[in-house]
PDB file of all heavy atoms in Angstrom:
ATOM      1  N   ASP A  14     120.314 102.619 110.724  1.00  0.00           N
ATOM      2  CA  ASP A  14     118.925 102.276 110.417  1.00  0.00           C
ATOM      3  C   ASP A  14     118.164 101.946 111.693  1.00  0.00           C
ATOM      4  O   ASP A  14     117.017 102.372 111.861  1.00  0.00           O
ATOM      5  CB  ASP A  14     118.860 101.097 109.450  1.00  0.00           C
ATOM      6  CG  ASP A  14     119.312 101.465 108.047  1.00  0.00           C
ATOM      7  OD1 ASP A  14     119.365 102.668 107.729  1.00  0.00           O
ATOM      8  OD2 ASP A  14     119.606 100.537 107.281  1.00  0.00           O
ATOM      9  N   GLU A  15     118.789 101.201 112.600  1.00  0.00           N
ATOM     10  CA  GLU A  15     118.136 100.860 113.867  1.00  0.00           C
ATOM     11  C   GLU A  15     117.853 102.117 114.680  1.00  0.00           C
ATOM     12  O   GLU A  15     116.789 102.240 115.278  1.00  0.00           O
ATOM     13  CB  GLU A  15     119.004  99.895 114.677  1.00  0.00           C
ATOM     14  CG  GLU A  15     119.067  98.501 114.098  1.00  0.00           C
ATOM     15  CD  GLU A  15     120.026  97.589 114.852  1.00  0.00           C
ATOM     16  OE1 GLU A  15     120.419  97.934 115.983  1.00  0.00           O
ATOM     17  OE2 GLU A  15     120.376  96.539 114.298  1.00  0.00           O
ATOM     18  N   GLU A  16     118.806 103.063 114.698  1.00  0.00           N
ATOM     19  CA  GLU A  16     118.597 104.322 115.413  1.00  0.00           C
ATOM     20  C   GLU A  16     117.458 105.117 114.786  1.00  0.00           C
ATOM     21  O   GLU A  16     116.639 105.698 115.494  1.00  0.00           O
ATOM     22  CB  GLU A  16     119.877 105.158 115.425  1.00  0.00           C
ATOM     23  CG  GLU A  16     120.935 104.649 116.367  1.00  0.00           C
ATOM     24  CD  GLU A  16     122.154 105.559 116.386  1.00  0.00           C
ATOM     25  OE1 GLU A  16     122.321 106.392 115.469  1.00  0.00           O
ATOM     26  OE2 GLU A  16     122.936 105.426 117.334  1.00  0.00           O
ATOM     27  N   ASP A  17     117.417 105.155 113.455  1.00  0.00           N
ATOM     28  CA  ASP A  17     116.338 105.869 112.761  1.00  0.00           C
ATOM     29  C   ASP A  17     114.989 105.244 113.086  1.00  0.00           C
ATOM     30  O   ASP A  17     114.006 105.966 113.321  1.00  0.00           O
ATOM     31  CB  ASP A  17     116.563 105.848 111.248  1.00  0.00           C
ATOM     32  CG  ASP A  17     117.730 106.726 110.807  1.00  0.00           C
ATOM     33  OD1 ASP A  17     118.172 107.590 111.600  1.00  0.00           O
ATOM     34  OD2 ASP A  17     118.189 106.534 109.666  1.00  0.00           O
ATOM     35  N   ILE A  18     114.927 103.934 113.084  1.00  0.00           N
ATOM     36  CA  ILE A  18     113.676 103.243 113.387  1.00  0.00           C
ATOM     37  C   ILE A  18     113.251 103.508 114.824  1.00  0.00           C
ATOM     38  O   ILE A  18     112.076 103.791 115.095  1.00  0.00           O
ATOM     39  CB  ILE A  18     113.805 101.732 113.110  1.00  0.00           C
ATOM     40  CG1 ILE A  18     113.929 101.495 111.601  1.00  0.00           C
ATOM     41  CG2 ILE A  18     112.626 100.957 113.686  1.00  0.00           C
ATOM     42  CD1 ILE A  18     114.347 100.096 111.219  1.00  0.00           C
ATOM     43  N   ALA A  19     114.191 103.472 115.748  1.00  0.00           N
ATOM     44  CA  ALA A  19     113.877 103.742 117.151  1.00  0.00           C
ATOM     45  C   ALA A  19     113.377 105.180 117.323  1.00  0.00           C
ATOM     46  O   ALA A  19     112.392 105.421 118.038  1.00  0.00           O
ATOM     47  CB  ALA A  19     115.094 103.482 118.027  1.00  0.00           C
ATOM     48  N   ALA A  20     114.029 106.137 116.662  1.00  0.00           N
ATOM     49  CA  ALA A  20     113.601 107.534 116.741  1.00  0.00           C
ATOM     50  C   ALA A  20     112.209 107.698 116.144  1.00  0.00           C
ATOM     51  O   ALA A  20     111.365 108.416 116.700  1.00  0.00           O
ATOM     52  CB  ALA A  20     114.603 108.430 116.020  1.00  0.00           C
ATOM     53  N   PHE A  21     111.962 107.046 115.013  1.00  0.00           N
ATOM     54  CA  PHE A  21     110.638 107.107 114.390  1.00  0.00           C
ATOM     55  C   PHE A  21     109.583 106.544 115.332  1.00  0.00           C
ATOM     56  O   PHE A  21     108.524 107.144 115.524  1.00  0.00           O
ATOM     57  CB  PHE A  21     110.637 106.331 113.071  1.00  0.00           C
ATOM     58  CG  PHE A  21     109.275 106.248 112.458  1.00  0.00           C
ATOM     59  CD1 PHE A  21     108.761 107.304 111.735  1.00  0.00           C
ATOM     60  CD2 PHE A  21     108.499 105.108 112.624  1.00  0.00           C
ATOM     61  CE1 PHE A  21     107.490 107.234 111.182  1.00  0.00           C
ATOM     62  CE2 PHE A  21     107.226 105.027 112.075  1.00  0.00           C
ATOM     63  CZ  PHE A  21     106.724 106.098 111.348  1.00  0.00           C
ATOM     64  N   ASN A  22     109.861 105.402 115.944  1.00  0.00           N
ATOM     65  CA  ASN A  22     108.895 104.782 116.852  1.00  0.00           C
ATOM     66  C   ASN A  22     108.619 105.659 118.068  1.00  0.00           C
ATOM     67  O   ASN A  22     107.472 105.751 118.525  1.00  0.00           O
ATOM     68  CB  ASN A  22     109.363 103.391 117.277  1.00  0.00           C
ATOM     69  CG  ASN A  22     109.204 102.387 116.163  1.00  0.00           C
ATOM     70  OD1 ASN A  22     108.343 102.516 115.304  1.00  0.00           O
ATOM     71  ND2 ASN A  22     110.042 101.369 116.162  1.00  0.00           N
ATOM     72  N   ARG A  23     109.641 106.331 118.602  1.00  0.00           N
ATOM     73  CA  ARG A  23     109.428 107.252 119.730  1.00  0.00           C
ATOM     74  C   ARG A  23     108.532 108.412 119.309  1.00  0.00           C
ATOM     75  O   ARG A  23     107.614 108.805 120.028  1.00  0.00           O
ATOM     76  CB  ARG A  23     110.762 107.772 120.265  1.00  0.00           C
ATOM     77  CG  ARG A  23     111.518 106.782 121.109  1.00  0.00           C
ATOM     78  CD  ARG A  23     112.702 107.430 121.822  1.00  0.00           C
ATOM     79  NE  ARG A  23     113.659 108.068 120.914  1.00  0.00           N
ATOM     80  CZ  ARG A  23     114.668 107.441 120.323  1.00  0.00           C
ATOM     81  NH1 ARG A  23     114.867 106.154 120.534  1.00  0.00           N
ATOM     82  NH2 ARG A  23     115.477 108.089 119.521  1.00  0.00           N
ATOM     83  N   ALA A  24     108.815 108.970 118.140  1.00  0.00           N
ATOM     84  CA  ALA A  24     108.013 110.092 117.644  1.00  0.00           C
ATOM     85  C   ALA A  24     106.587 109.651 117.364  1.00  0.00           C
ATOM     86  O   ALA A  24     105.628 110.368 117.682  1.00  0.00           O
ATOM     87  CB  ALA A  24     108.651 110.679 116.383  1.00  0.00           C
ATOM     88  N   LEU A  25     106.423 108.473 116.800  1.00  0.00           N
ATOM     89  CA  LEU A  25     105.086 107.963 116.501  1.00  0.00           C
ATOM     90  C   LEU A  25     104.271 107.767 117.775  1.00  0.00           C
ATOM     91  O   LEU A  25     103.084 108.067 117.812  1.00  0.00           O
ATOM     92  CB  LEU A  25     105.186 106.641 115.725  1.00  0.00           C
ATOM     93  CG  LEU A  25     103.877 106.046 115.227  1.00  0.00           C
ATOM     94  CD1 LEU A  25     103.166 107.001 114.282  1.00  0.00           C
ATOM     95  CD2 LEU A  25     104.136 104.713 114.548  1.00  0.00           C
ATOM     96  N   ALA A  26     104.922 107.303 118.832  1.00  0.00           N
ATOM     97  CA  ALA A  26     104.229 107.095 120.106  1.00  0.00           C
ATOM     98  C   ALA A  26     103.761 108.418 120.709  1.00  0.00           C
ATOM     99  O   ALA A  26     102.811 108.438 121.499  1.00  0.00           O
ATOM    100  CB  ALA A  26     105.149 106.365 121.080  1.00  0.00           C
ATOM    101  N   ALA A  27     104.397 109.523 120.326  1.00  0.00           N
ATOM    102  CA  ALA A  27     104.070 110.826 120.898  1.00  0.00           C
ATOM    103  C   ALA A  27     102.930 111.542 120.173  1.00  0.00           C
ATOM    104  O   ALA A  27     102.430 112.534 120.675  1.00  0.00           O
ATOM    105  CB  ALA A  27     105.313 111.703 120.900  1.00  0.00           C
ATOM    106  N   VAL A  28     102.506 111.059 119.017  1.00  0.00           N
ATOM    107  CA  VAL A  28     101.448 111.752 118.267  1.00  0.00           C
ATOM    108  C   VAL A  28     100.089 111.137 118.564  1.00  0.00           C
ATOM    109  O   VAL A  28      99.978 110.010 119.041  1.00  0.00           O
ATOM    110  CB  VAL A  28     101.712 111.740 116.741  1.00  0.00           C
ATOM    111  CG1 VAL A  28     103.000 112.444 116.402  1.00  0.00           C
ATOM    112  CG2 VAL A  28     101.709 110.341 116.184  1.00  0.00           C
ATOM    113  N   ARG A  33      98.449 109.238 113.778  1.00  0.00           N
ATOM    114  CA  ARG A  33      99.020 107.914 113.482  1.00  0.00           C
ATOM    115  C   ARG A  33      98.291 107.270 112.312  1.00  0.00           C
ATOM    116  O   ARG A  33      98.919 106.663 111.449  1.00  0.00           O
ATOM    117  CB  ARG A  33      98.936 107.004 114.704  1.00  0.00           C
ATOM    118  CG  ARG A  33     100.205 107.041 115.501  1.00  0.00           C
ATOM    119  CD  ARG A  33     100.155 106.098 116.643  1.00  0.00           C
ATOM    120  NE  ARG A  33      99.896 106.995 117.764  1.00  0.00           N
ATOM    121  CZ  ARG A  33      99.432 106.670 118.911  1.00  0.00           C
ATOM    122  NH1 ARG A  33      99.129 105.444 119.183  1.00  0.00           N
ATOM    123  NH2 ARG A  33      99.251 107.556 119.844  1.00  0.00           N
ATOM    124  N   LEU A  36      99.553 108.806 109.179  1.00  0.00           N
ATOM    125  CA  LEU A  36     100.911 108.336 108.861  1.00  0.00           C
ATOM    126  C   LEU A  36     100.907 106.914 108.335  1.00  0.00           C
ATOM    127  O   LEU A  36     101.679 106.582 107.433  1.00  0.00           O
ATOM    128  CB  LEU A  36     101.810 108.452 110.088  1.00  0.00           C
ATOM    129  CG  LEU A  36     102.172 109.880 110.484  1.00  0.00           C
ATOM    130  CD1 LEU A  36     102.868 109.894 111.832  1.00  0.00           C
ATOM    131  CD2 LEU A  36     103.017 110.540 109.422  1.00  0.00           C
ATOM    132  N   TRP A  37     100.071 106.039 108.884  1.00  0.00           N
ATOM    133  CA  TRP A  37     100.034 104.645 108.419  1.00  0.00           C
ATOM    134  C   TRP A  37      99.588 104.548 106.967  1.00  0.00           C
ATOM    135  O   TRP A  37      99.956 103.626 106.246  1.00  0.00           O
ATOM    136  CB  TRP A  37      99.137 103.780 109.294  1.00  0.00           C
ATOM    137  CG  TRP A  37      99.737 103.479 110.630  1.00  0.00           C
ATOM    138  CD1 TRP A  37      99.212 103.781 111.848  1.00  0.00           C
ATOM    139  CD2 TRP A  37     100.987 102.820 110.907  1.00  0.00           C
ATOM    140  NE1 TRP A  37     100.066 103.372 112.854  1.00  0.00           N
ATOM    141  CE2 TRP A  37     101.156 102.776 112.308  1.00  0.00           C
ATOM    142  CE3 TRP A  37     101.984 102.293 110.100  1.00  0.00           C
ATOM    143  CZ2 TRP A  37     102.274 102.215 112.920  1.00  0.00           C
ATOM    144  CZ3 TRP A  37     103.099 101.732 110.711  1.00  0.00           C
ATOM    145  CH2 TRP A  37     103.223 101.698 112.101  1.00  0.00           C
ATOM    146  N   ILE A  40     102.875 106.799 104.773  1.00  0.00           N
ATOM    147  CA  ILE A  40     104.232 106.260 104.646  1.00  0.00           C
ATOM    148  C   ILE A  40     104.361 105.243 103.506  1.00  0.00           C
ATOM    149  O   ILE A  40     105.282 105.354 102.692  1.00  0.00           O
ATOM    150  CB  ILE A  40     104.729 105.720 105.996  1.00  0.00           C
ATOM    151  CG1 ILE A  40     104.941 106.909 106.948  1.00  0.00           C
ATOM    152  CG2 ILE A  40     106.015 104.917 105.838  1.00  0.00           C
ATOM    153  CD1 ILE A  40     105.164 106.531 108.384  1.00  0.00           C
TER     154      ILE A  40
END
Side-chain angles (χ1 to χ4, degrees):
D14 289 343
E15 289 175 16
E16 286 183 343
D17 289 343
I18 291 168
F21 174 80
N22 286 332
R23 284 191 302 274
L25 185 60
V28 299
R33 265 183 257 161
L36 289 171
W37 287 121
I40 291 168

